[in-house]
Amino acid sequence: MLNIKNLETIIDNKHILKGLNLNIKPGEVHAIMGPNGSGKSTLANVLSGKNGYITKGDIQFNGERLNDISTEERAQKGIFLAFQYPLEIPGVNTNIFLKTSLNAVRKAKGEKELDTLTFLKLIKEKASELGIDEKFLSRQFNVGFSGGEKKKNEILQMKLLEPTLSILDETDSGLDIDALKIVADGVNSYKNKDNAFLIITHYQRLLDYIKPDFIHVLSNGKIVKTGDANLGLQLEKTGYTSLS
Amino acid sequence: MQQFYDFKINKIKNLSSEEKILRKKNLELFYLNGFPSKKDEDWKFTDLNFILGQNFTNIVNTELIPDEKPFNPINEFEHNFIYLVNGKLISKNFDHEEKDKILISNFDYKNEIILYRENTLNFLNNALAKDGFSLEISKNYKFKKPLVIYNYFSNSLKETIVNNKNLIILNENSELTLINFVDNNSKENFIINTIDDIKLKKNSSLKSIFINNSKNNAYFYKYLKNDLEKNSNLENYILSSGLKLNKFDIEVNHNAEYSSSNIFSALNLSNYEHQEIKTLINHNTPNCQSYQKIKNVLNNESKGVFQGKIFVKNIAQKTDAYQLSRALILDDKAEFNAKPELEIYADDVKCSHGSTSGSIDLESIHYLKSRGIPEKEAYQMLINGFLCEVLEKLNENNLKKFLLKKLESQIHGY
C-alpha cells in the first residue's frame, strides 16, 4: 500500500529525514517510535503533503507516486493524518466542516454526496461510538475543546472518512486512560484487512491497546531497528540510547 | 483640480423662503471646503475629494422623481416593510403589527429642522436633502416581526448625489428589529448621502442591520446619530460588502445610565472597494456599556478603514467599553488602516481595545486540505468562519440564517 524509498527531507535548511525506507501492506499496523527530534512528525507531515518540505526519494501509495500530489488529493485518495495538535477553526461549525470534508472525499471517489439529514444521522452514530457528546457537533470546530476531546474528534474524522491509510501522530499524548481506551477501541473497530495504520508515538502505552505488527525505531532521520510488538516493551525498559 | 460638482438649491421644489435661506447658508458652508479630503483628520484614510474627483466629472443634485418599480421581497422570514426609491417613501406594509402603534410618514423638512455640522457632507445634506422617512414606535410596543427597509435606486442616477434624512424614534419600552436592505443593480456611479437620527427612549431596544445585496458602483455615506436614554439597548450589524465606496460615520451618545450599544461589522472587500467604519462612542453618564467588533477581509486592491473612538466623560464612572478590530489581508495590494482612540476622563472604568491584522493561517488551510477539502474552499471556509463569528450574538434563527446566507454570497461573489 505504502512504499517509501530512500526518503530525505529538508526544511529550513535542516536535514531531517536521511534516507528512510518503509513498506506497509493492507491489514498491517506499524508503529514508529523514537526520541524527540528524530523526525517522526516530519514523516507524518511529509506524508500528508504539507508545504515547506524539500523532499528527495520516492513515496508510492497504491502504486502511484505521491510526492507531487496535493494534500487534499492525498486525503481524497485515502490517506488520513490524525494531527498531534488538532487545530481550532473559529466560526466554523463542526457539523458543516465534517460534512464538507466527507462530501469532498466522496465526490472525488465518484460517490454520491450526502444530504444534510443522512449526514447528521451518520455523524451522530459515529460520535456516539466514541462517546462524543452531540452538542460538540454543533459548536465551532475544536474551539474550547479539551485536549482529549480534540483527539477524539480526530478519530471521529478518521471513522467518517474511512481512509485506507491512517497515520496517527502522537494521538495518545494528552489523553487520560479512559480517553486512551476509547481512542484505541475506535482504531481497533475500524481496523480490517484492507486498511493500514501508521502509529507515531513516544510510549508503549497506546501499543498496549492497539497491537502493532511492526515497530520501527526512528533515530536521526533513519529507521535504525525494526521488530515485532515486543520491541516496544524492550524499549520501555532500556530507552532509545541503547540503540544509537 | 477642476471643480467636479455643481449643486443648486433651486432644483428643490416647494421650499419656504426660510428654508431657502437656511439651505443656501449650508451650501455656502459646504462650498467653503468642498468634499472632505485627507487633510481632514476624520478623512485621512478616505480622501473623498480625491476619490470622487477620479470617478466623477460633474456631480449634480438630482431632480429625478423616483419611479415605482416592483421589488423582490425577502422570502426567508416574515417581516413588515417600507419601500424606498432614492430614499423616498413609496409604500409600506405593517400587516404583522398593531397599526395604531406605529407612525410612519415622509420626513418633515418644514418642522424637523435638524442641522448637523460634523463635517461638510452634513452641510451638503442640510442644503440639499429631500425625501426620507420618519418612524415612531409607541410606548410599550414591541414589534412582532422585523421591519425591512427596501432601498432601491433608479437606474438614471448617473453622476448625481441623493441626500436624505431619516428619523427613528423608539419610545419607552418599545422594541424593533430593523433591516436596511440595499439592492441596486445599476452600474452607474452615484452618491448617497444620508443622515439617520435615532432616538432610543428609556428601556427601548433597537437591532439595526445593514445589508448590501449586490455588487455596484455606488458611493455611500451614512451619518448615524444614536441617542440612548436610560437602560436602552442598541445593536448594529453592518454587512455592507459590495459597494464601491462606503463610509459609516456612527455617533453613539450614552446620555443616561445603564444604556448599552453594540457595533458589529463583517466586511469582505474586493476589487478596488473602499469601506470605512468610523465610530464615536460618547460615554456621557455612568454605568453604560459599549462593545465594538469590526472584522474585515481584504482581497485584491481593496481598502478597509476603521477609526474608532471611545470618549468617557469625567462623571461616567463604571463605564465598560470595548473595541476590537481584526483584519485578514489576502493580497499584497490590499490595505487596512485602523485608528483606535480612547479618551478617558473618569478613573473607575474598564476600557480596552485591540487591533490585529494579518494573513490567513496556513496551518489551518493545511488542516482543512488534509481532510480532502480543496484549497479554494478551505480559504472560503476560513474567511466565512472569520466573518460569521460577528453574528454570534443574534438569536433570531431565521434572520440569522438569512444573514449568514447573505454573508456567504458576499464572500463567494454575487
Side-chain angles (χ1 to χ4, degrees):
Chain A
M1 176 186 290
L2 182 73
N3 304 82
I4 302 175
K5 255 188 226 143
N6 213 11
L7 180 64
E8 292 189 45
T9 65
I10 293 166
I11 184 162
D12 299 334
N13 291 322
K14 269 182 270 173
H15 202 176
I16 310 280
L17 297 179
K18 299 170 184 168
L20 183 135
N21 295 293
L22 183 67
N23 291 306
I24 299 179
K25 293 194 186 76
E28 291 178 350
V29 176
H30 290 243
I32 291 203
M33 301 180 77
N36 294 326
S38 58
K40 301 192 297 297
S41 286
T42 297
L43 176 62
N45 287 337
V46 167
L47 289 176
S48 78
K50 193 172 184 184
N51 287 338
Y53 292 93
I54 301 165
T55 61
K56 267 199 279 181
D58 192 37
I59 308 170
Q60 298 268 340
F61 181 64
N62 290 331
E64 194 178 355
R65 189 174 145 89
L66 214 54
N67 299 52
D68 309 317
I69 291 181
S70 70
T71 299
E72 58 267 41
E73 276 177 87
R74 294 182 195 208
Q76 291 160 1
K77 287 178 193 298
I79 293 179
F80 179 85
L81 170 63
F83 279 57
Q84 182 180 1
Y85 304 108
L87 279 94
E88 297 185 1
I89 317 283
V92 175
N93 174 285
T94 303
N95 271 327
I96 290 174
F97 169 52
L98 297 181
K99 180 170 169 252
T100 309
S101 160
L102 177 60
N103 279 338
V105 171
R106 289 182 69 95
K107 195 175 159 192
K109 284 186 193 163
E111 293 170 7
K112 199 169 159 268
E113 293 179 45
L114 296 188
D115 59 59
T116 305
L117 281 179
T118 319
F119 169 78
L120 286 176
K121 194 168 166 276
L122 178 72
I123 192 71
K124 275 180 192 170
E125 202 179 290
K126 305 254 180 206
S128 85
E129 285 170 17
L130 288 163
I132 295 174
D133 195 328
E134 251 179 59
K135 69 173 193 276
F136 284 110
L137 301 173
S138 48
R139 290 216 209 140
Q140 296 180 49
F141 187 82
N142 275 347
V143 175
F145 287 25
S146 73
E149 284 157 358
K150 285 179 186 169
K151 293 293 175 81
K152 277 198 224 168
N153 202 356
E154 295 290 289
I155 301 303
L156 174 66
Q157 292 171 63
M158 180 191 85
K159 296 192 76 166
L160 187 69
L161 298 180
E162 300 181 331
T164 44
L165 175 66
S166 303
I167 304 156
L168 311 185
D169 188 6
E170 296 197 25
T171 298
D172 52 338
S173 68
L175 289 186
D176 62 38
I177 200 76
D178 296 328
L180 188 73
K181 275 183 193 156
I182 291 169
V183 163
D185 287 347
V187 170
N188 287 328
S189 67
Y190 178 57
K191 203 173 100 180
N192 62 42
K193 65 175 177 32
D194 299 317
N195 60 31
F197 289 85
L198 179 61
I199 297 171
I200 293 170
T201 182
H202 273 291
Y203 307 105
Q204 169 62 28
R205 204 169 71 136
L206 181 64
L207 306 179
D208 291 339
Y209 298 98
I210 308 170
K211 195 173 173 296
D213 300 299
F214 300 94
I215 293 181
H216 310 278
V217 178
L218 187 63
S219 180
N220 198 19
K222 274 184 179 173
I223 288 175
V224 292
K225 194 172 170 78
T226 294
D228 61 13
N230 292 319
L231 179 59
L233 297 168
Q234 186 194 325
L235 284 170
E236 193 86 334
K237 285 186 202 132
T238 58
Y240 295 115
T241 39
S242 63
L243 293 169
S244 48
Chain B
M1 193 190 289
Q2 217 186 343
Q3 193 159 298
F4 52 89
Y5 45 85
D6 183 16
F7 304 127
K8 291 196 166 66
I9 303 288
N10 59 20
K11 283 187 181 174
I12 308 166
K13 305 281 176 294
N14 303 323
L15 295 179
S16 67
S17 52
E18 291 98 327
E19 274 183 280
K20 263 187 196 157
I21 293 167
L22 209 56
R23 284 177 182 260
K24 275 197 172 134
K25 212 168 192 170
N26 274 286
L27 194 60
E28 280 163 20
L29 285 168
F30 168 78
Y31 269 103
L32 270 182
N33 293 305
F35 284 104
S37 72
K38 66 179 174 196
K39 281 181 275 175
D40 184 338
E41 183 67 20
D42 288 345
W43 293 81
K44 67 192 274 191
F45 303 112
T46 303
D47 191 340
L48 191 65
N49 190 58
F50 177 77
I51 295 168
L52 295 181
Q54 294 285 306
N55 292 286
F56 290 82
T57 48
N58 188 32
I59 311 167
V60 295
N61 51 321
T62 174
E63 290 171 284
L64 198 75
I65 314 279
D67 41 342
E68 283 185 50
K69 284 184 295 187
F71 61 93
N72 302 324
I74 295 166
N75 296 317
E76 282 84 347
F77 56 93
E78 289 188 304
H79 59 276
N80 309 282
F81 71 81
I82 60 180
Y83 175 40
L84 308 176
V85 176
N86 306 343
K88 186 180 169 57
L89 181 61
I90 302 288
S91 61
K92 55 183 191 271
N93 181 315
F94 288 94
D95 284 352
H96 298 286
E97 311 300 329
E98 294 170 34
K99 294 190 179 72
D100 60 337
K101 304 289 187 191
I102 301 153
L103 272 174
I104 173 99
S105 59
N106 290 315
F107 188 88
D108 180 0
Y109 286 93
K110 299 243 178 316
N111 295 310
E112 297 270 0
I113 303 174
I114 307 168
L115 293 181
Y116 297 86
R117 35 186 64 252
E118 290 304 318
N119 62 47
T120 61
L121 281 172
N122 287 171
F123 292 136
L124 191 62
N125 186 292
N126 295 336
L128 303 178
K130 51 181 195 169
D131 303 325
F133 65 87
S134 293
L135 172 71
E136 184 166 356
I137 321 285
S138 294
K139 202 168 155 178
N140 298 324
Y141 188 71
K142 294 178 170 45
F143 262 64
K144 295 180 181 71
K145 302 284 174 196
L147 168 61
V148 176
I149 302 173
Y150 289 105
N151 290 278
Y152 279 66
F153 298 95
S154 305
N155 285 329
S156 41
L157 287 176
K158 189 176 181 184
E159 294 271 331
T160 62
I161 184 165
V162 176
N163 293 273
N164 312 124
K165 279 188 171 71
N166 303 309
L167 174 67
I168 298 170
I169 301 172
L170 269 69
N171 281 306
E172 266 182 47
N173 290 313
S174 64
E175 255 179 52
L176 172 66
T177 298
L178 190 68
I179 297 144
N180 244 298
F181 187 76
V182 175
D183 208 351
N184 164 48
N185 295 316
S186 163
K187 294 288 163 238
E188 305 292 2
N189 57 340
F190 63 96
I191 307 166
I192 307 291
N193 179 17
T194 313
I195 297 177
D196 281 2
D197 192 3
I198 294 160
K199 297 185 188 309
L200 300 187
K201 306 289 184 188
K202 200 171 148 187
N203 297 326
S204 66
S205 174
L206 173 68
K207 276 195 184 91
S208 179
I209 298 155
F210 187 96
I211 317 170
N212 178 48
N213 195 45
S214 55
K215 195 118 188 126
N216 59 59
N217 201 9
Y219 295 69
F220 272 57
Y221 175 73
K222 203 177 184 58
Y223 193 87
L224 277 158
K225 181 173 181 286
N226 302 279
D227 287 308
L228 274 61
E229 291 190 7
K230 192 168 176 179
N231 206 31
S232 61
N233 177 44
L234 172 71
E235 246 174 71
N236 269 317
Y237 293 90
I238 299 169
L239 310 173
S240 57
S241 310
L243 296 165
K244 185 78 192 292
L245 180 124
N246 184 36
K247 178 162 174 167
F248 273 96
D249 215 330
I250 305 174
E251 175 187 330
V252 178
N253 299 309
H254 288 273
N255 292 331
E257 286 190 87
Y258 302 105
S259 58
S260 60
S261 65
N262 297 274
I263 296 168
F264 297 104
S265 134
L267 300 181
N268 180 65
L269 306 183
S270 52
N271 300 327
Y272 304 102
E273 261 183 274
H274 180 140
Q275 296 219 18
E276 168 165 348
I277 292 174
K278 180 179 165 290
T279 62
L280 170 61
I281 315 293
N282 288 314
H283 282 270
N284 298 326
T285 49
N287 292 308
C288 293
Q289 261 191 345
S290 67
Y291 187 92
Q292 302 173 67
K293 192 184 252 183
I294 307 295
K295 288 196 163 182
N296 279 273
V297 175
L298 299 121
N299 306 277
N300 326 106
E301 223 163 300
S302 62
K303 183 168 172 177
V305 181
F306 173 58
Q307 299 198 74
K309 179 166 175 177
I310 298 169
F311 173 86
V312 183
K313 208 171 162 178
N314 54 0
I315 58 161
Q317 302 295 1
K318 305 284 178 196
T319 288
D320 184 354
Y322 181 75
Q323 181 196 88
L324 176 71
S325 157
R326 290 189 61 200
L328 275 184
I329 300 171
L330 304 183
D331 194 301
D332 287 346
K333 293 191 190 109
E335 182 182 329
F336 184 72
N337 297 285
K339 195 181 107 188
E341 261 184 289
L342 301 178
E343 195 176 330
I344 303 169
Y345 295 100
D347 49 21
D348 183 15
V349 299
K350 211 169 102 188
C351 285
S352 54
H353 71 87
S355 176
T356 62
S357 56
S359 49
I360 213 149
D361 177 33
L362 293 177
E363 292 288 328
S364 299
I365 293 286
H366 174 65
Y367 187 80
L368 296 183
K369 284 168 70 179
S370 80
R371 298 309 182 239
I373 298 171
E375 184 163 283
K376 193 176 164 213
E377 247 179 277
Y379 270 88
Q380 286 181 339
M381 207 173 203
L382 290 184
I383 292 168
N384 232 6
F386 176 77
L387 292 177
C388 288
E389 198 230 332
V390 158
L391 298 174
E392 216 169 42
K393 248 191 104 180
L394 253 187
N395 38 26
E396 291 95 333
N397 248 335
N398 285 340
L399 176 59
K400 190 169 176 175
K401 257 191 214 158
F402 172 75
L403 295 179
L404 287 172
K405 207 177 92 186
K406 287 292 158 199
L407 197 51
E408 209 164 303
S409 64
Q410 288 179 341
I411 293 164
H412 295 213
Y414 295 100

